[in-house]
Amino acid sequence: MKEAYRKLRKKAAPGVDQVTAEEYAVNLDDNLKALHKRLREGRYKAPPVKRVWIDKENGKKRPIGITALEDKVVQRAVEMVLSPIYEQMFYDSSCGYRRGHSPHQALKELRDQCTRLNIKWIVSADISGLFDNIEHGHLRDMIKRKMNDGTILRLIGKWLNAGVMDAGQITHPDKGTPQGGVISPILSNIFLHYVLDDWFVKEAKPRMKGRIFIIRWADDFIIGCEYEDDARRLLEVLPTTT
């Protein structure tokens, strides 16, 4: 728990609890002990995520979720448990939100693959509203394929159902992961591993005429194709796959 707290961004805005990292650190050991006790006894309750809206370049607004400080600590601790398990499973083409991966490395891999495989056609896509639309039941089933620890699954269930506080009103979406939550990146990578990365390697790639590759950064991805026909076939099936 101490390591999880140490890894938090200390200057981040507070969530619904209005507790800052600086305030929590005043009695850090006692606070973490009390938190650990509530977790061990099954009394931990995930508070709702505070939603704020920030301006985008196109004049629209984008929602950002801010979790309560103790929730950040627990989510980070769970992420530290899950990452070593799923890192063994993830493909190298999955680059976003992973230690040892960077946008520069993804761009280099993109350039190298295009040159090495004689790629002439690019399919560029993004998954609209990924964090808001992940289906809870499917996500839980996917997690159970690799990890079936009851405590971890219950915590993830609490976060998925904690609700969102927006302008003082709490809603409980039946899908999506807590946007802005520490746990959301790895949950989204698990989900996309099965619905996109695994599908590409096991289903799409063997059916293409020429050489192809995929590079994914979170919910944005690029598929390179040697032949135009393959690129157009992928464009037709991708909307029904993801």
Side-chain angles (χ1 to χ4, degrees), residues 113-141:
Q113 291 272 37
C114 285
T115 301
R116 184 172 61 85
L117 301 180
N118 192 34
I119 298 301
K120 295 182 175 66
W121 297 87
I122 290 291
V123 177
S124 179
D126 68 86
I127 302 170
S128 178
L130 170 67
F131 290 100
D132 292 330
N133 291 291
I134 291 178
E135 207 282 322
H136 292 173
H138 290 329
L139 177 60
R140 281 191 288 263
D141 290 341

Side-chain angles (χ1 to χ4, degrees), residues 205-218:
K205 195 172 182 178
R207 289 175 167 80
M208 298 298 108
K209 296 178 181 178
R211 294 175 291 184
I212 64 173
F213 74 90
I214 186 172
I215 297 289
R216 179 175 65 79
W217 185 272

Side-chain angles (χ1 to χ4, degrees), residues 81-82 85-86 140-154 156:
V81 173
L82 293 180
I85 297 172
Y86 286 97
R140 281 191 288 263
D141 290 341
M142 291 171 183
I143 294 171
K144 289 178 182 178
R145 297 183 193 182
K146 191 73 175 177
M147 192 280 305
N148 202 23
D149 182 281
T151 300
I152 299 294
L153 291 172
R154 281 192 294 273
I156 292 174

Side-chain angles (χ1 to χ4, degrees), residues 158-217:
K158 289 181 180 182
W159 292 321
L160 293 178
N161 296 295
V164 175
M165 179 176 285
D166 191 347
Q169 300 295 317
I170 298 179
T171 58
H172 292 83
D174 58 2
K175 57 183 179 179
T177 63
Q179 195 170 60
V182 176
I183 197 67
S184 290
I186 190 168
L187 294 183
S188 66
N189 269 340
I190 292 170
F191 186 82
L192 288 178
H193 169 82
Y194 287 108
V195 301
L196 180 60
D197 304 344
D198 214 36
W199 166 83
F200 177 84
V201 171
K202 296 178 180 178
E203 301 293 332
K205 195 172 182 178
R207 289 175 167 80
M208 298 298 108
K209 296 178 181 178
R211 294 175 291 184
I212 64 173
F213 74 90
I214 186 172
I215 297 289
R216 179 175 65 79
W217 185 272

